[in-house]
């Protein structure tokens, strides 16, 4: 499997096409959504098995993904929380609270990610 790189792309969830930010470097994963008032679309943190919402300004949906981009679990986290690590999680997808339900993301869903300069993942 090729390494992910910081950048932008498209998240395909069912019939939904969602703007995606990819945070693959240590610096980008550490920064994540900190300092923002919201997010339009989603952010993929890779590699990642857990997240926190300390110093966050808004609640987020968190989807834990396996190596094949299958959704293991989806949770909503309020600011100031520490998420438990998921054993098989290789990636974490973050979005504004409530967005993932609208996209139909739930445990068992497979997503697809298109990132320029990278083969499509499924």
């Amino acid at each position: 499997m090729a390494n992910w790189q910081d950048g932008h792309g498209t998240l395909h969830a069912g019939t939904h096409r969602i703007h995606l930010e990819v945070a693959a470097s240590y610096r980008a994963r550490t920064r994540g959504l900190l300092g923002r008032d919201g997010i339009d679309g989603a952010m993929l943190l890779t590699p990642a098995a857990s997240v926190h919402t300390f110093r966050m300004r808004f609640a987020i949906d968190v989807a834990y993904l396996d190596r094949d981009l299958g959704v293991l679990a989806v949770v909503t986290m309020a600011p100031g929380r520490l998420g438990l690590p998921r054993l098989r999680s290789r990636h974490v997808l973050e979005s504004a609270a409530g967005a993932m339900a609208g996209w139909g993301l739930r445990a068992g869903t497979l997503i697809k990610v298109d990132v320029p300069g990278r083969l499509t993942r499924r």
Side-chain angles (χ1 to χ4, degrees), residues 3-113:
N3 289 331
W4 292 84
Q5 295 182 359
D6 295 344
H8 297 270
T10 304
L11 168 69
H12 302 267
T15 60
H16 298 277
R17 305 294 177 258
I18 300 118
H19 172 73
L20 180 70
E21 296 178 50
V22 178
S25 68
Y26 175 78
R27 182 178 177 154
R29 288 191 318 270
T30 302
R31 184 177 56 244
L33 297 175
L34 294 176
R36 297 187 188 191
D37 293 322
I39 181 171
D40 181 28
M43 178 177 278
L44 178 71
L45 291 90
T46 182
S50 67
V51 296
H52 68 82
T53 57
F54 298 119
R55 299 186 348 236
M56 295 272 303
R57 298 178 182 168
F58 59 99
I60 61 172
D61 282 346
V62 177
Y64 296 90
L65 310 175
D66 65 18
R67 69 179 70 245
D68 297 320
L69 301 179
V71 178
L72 299 170
V74 177
V75 298
T76 300
M77 294 178 63
R81 303 285 186 245
L82 177 63
L84 297 175
R86 302 292 170 139
L87 186 61
R88 295 179 25 234
S89 180
R90 297 295 179 267
H91 318 279
V92 172
L93 188 66
E94 298 178 338
S95 67
M100 291 186 188
W103 302 334
L105 260 61
R106 61 185 179 281
T109 303
L110 280 177
I111 63 168
K112 186 171 120 180
V113 172

